[in-house]
Amino acid sequence: PPSSRRRSDRLNVVRQQIESLLGIAEDDAGRRENEREVDEVKVDKLEKILSTGGAAPGYWTIAGSRMFEPDGSLPRPILRRLARNAGCVRAPSVSYDTPYEVGETAACHRWRKRTAACTTYEGLLYGLRFLDAHLDKAVSMTASNVANRKANNNNKGLASVAIQCAHIDPATGFNEYFVVTHHGKKRGCWYPEDSVDLSSLIHHRFEQRIPYAEKKEREKREKLERERKARMEQLERERIAKKEQLEREHMARREQLEHERRTKKERLERERKAKKEQLQRKKEQRERERKMKEAAK
């Protein structure tokens, strides 16, 4: 259900629960106006609890004080949040009110772990079919239509967003959204994520996505520009290489023609010399024959 209390009021409830767990009465906390005195009382109570030898195992008997393999897998952001808060906050969709000593995971955590650990195509197909069977197709289609309308109307002006801020409730681990019901007076209520209006939630997520979308679009344009420049440089290099190859082929063809012409000229010169020498030998032979005939007469 929606809650009009501020975040500080809900944190005060958690603080009161911690004080009651430590045995600090509300009157004692009210009489101490100094916050430092209240903190000192809390520290004293914790020291007394931890100093008792028999009570210490009662606080650290989770799973027999041994490591165990959980049934499910939590997303990494939730794990980091739990680690930063030393396990003092709750994770969403984890049951802490069961007779088990640790939080009991849900079907979504077990599905996440099995899907991440599957190594076969059949296992992945089974996980996808299981996920598809649990999806609300009507809500998905409605969300897609709202997102498309928001994307198409984004350049026409910024519309007022009903959700002004959001935070994680430490008591449940789910997100809570402050939805403004009267835009003129800026009044609203806190709604959990399963009760907030779908259109308002999509508009809020879309507004949060705009800076990242602009950065991604800018990086995409820069990448396309780099690819275009690289392609132009590649084409220029190919053109220069082709031109140099054509010049080399032209020079090789000219050298080949020059070599053939020179070879042909030398061959003709040799033939001409050989023919001239042959004619000279025939002339000398005829001259000798003539002289021999004259001598015989």
Side-chain angles (χ1 to χ4, degrees), residues 57-281:
Y59 290 96
W60 309 104
T61 57
I62 297 178
S65 301
R66 297 181 180 179
M67 301 293 293
F68 67 97
E69 182 70 21
D71 294 335
S73 174
L74 295 176
R76 190 173 295 274
I78 297 178
L79 290 177
R80 287 198 296 262
R81 177 173 171 269
L82 292 175
R84 286 195 301 266
N85 294 273
C88 296
V89 295
R90 295 192 174 190
S93 302
V94 177
S95 301
Y96 295 94
D97 301 329
T98 60
Y100 295 98
E101 294 178 338
V102 295
E104 188 176 359
T105 56
C108 59
H109 303 125
R110 291 188 284 272
W111 174 86
R112 178 186 179 88
K113 181 178 180 181
R114 292 182 180 179
T115 305
C118 72
T119 56
T120 60
Y121 176 77
E122 292 78 7
L124 180 61
L125 182 61
Y126 175 77
L128 294 177
R129 286 182 177 178
F130 185 84
L131 176 64
D132 184 72
H134 288 77
L135 291 178
D136 193 340
K137 303 299 180 58
V139 174
S140 300
M141 186 174 297
T142 304
S144 178
N145 294 333
V146 173
N148 291 333
R149 289 198 302 269
K150 179 67 176 178
N152 295 331
N153 298 330
N154 188 31
N155 297 327
K156 297 182 180 179
L158 296 176
S160 59
V161 182
I163 298 177
Q164 296 296 323
C165 59
H167 82 103
I168 300 176
D169 189 3
T172 60
F174 289 100
N175 293 330
E176 286 191 350
Y177 301 92
F178 185 76
V179 182
V180 176
T181 55
H182 303 283
H183 292 281
K185 299 181 180 180
K186 295 294 182 180
R187 295 180 180 178
C189 298
W190 287 97
Y191 285 87
E193 60 182 10
D194 56 349
S195 301
V196 70
D197 181 55
L198 181 61
S199 178
S200 301
L201 180 60
I202 293 174
H203 286 192
H204 175 68
R205 295 286 179 86
F206 194 88
E207 292 295 331
Q208 287 184 329
R209 180 180 172 272
I210 287 177
Y212 303 99
E214 291 177 353
K215 181 180 178 182
K216 187 175 181 180
E217 188 68 23
R218 183 171 61 255
E219 292 177 353
K220 184 178 180 180
R221 288 196 300 268
E222 293 175 356
K223 182 180 178 181
L224 292 176
E225 184 67 19
R226 289 194 300 268
E227 291 178 353
R228 187 183 66 83
K229 289 182 179 179
R231 189 163 53 251
M232 290 181 63
E233 292 176 357
Q234 181 68 20
L235 292 175
E236 184 67 18
R237 287 194 297 268
E238 292 178 356
R239 186 184 66 81
I240 294 174
K242 187 175 181 180
K243 182 178 179 181
E244 292 177 353
Q245 183 180 1
L246 291 175
E247 290 179 355
R248 287 193 299 269
E249 292 178 355
H250 181 66
M251 292 294 296
R253 189 161 50 250
R254 287 182 59 183
E255 291 177 357
Q256 183 179 3
L257 292 175
E258 183 67 21
H259 177 70
E260 291 178 355
R261 185 184 65 80
R262 188 168 54 252
T263 304
K264 185 177 181 181
K265 183 178 179 181
E266 292 176 356
R267 181 174 56 81
L268 292 176
E269 185 68 20
R270 287 195 300 271
E271 291 178 356
R272 187 180 65 80
K273 288 181 179 180
K275 189 174 181 182
K276 185 177 180 181
E277 291 176 356
Q278 185 179 5
L279 291 176
Q280 185 67 20
R281 286 194 298 272

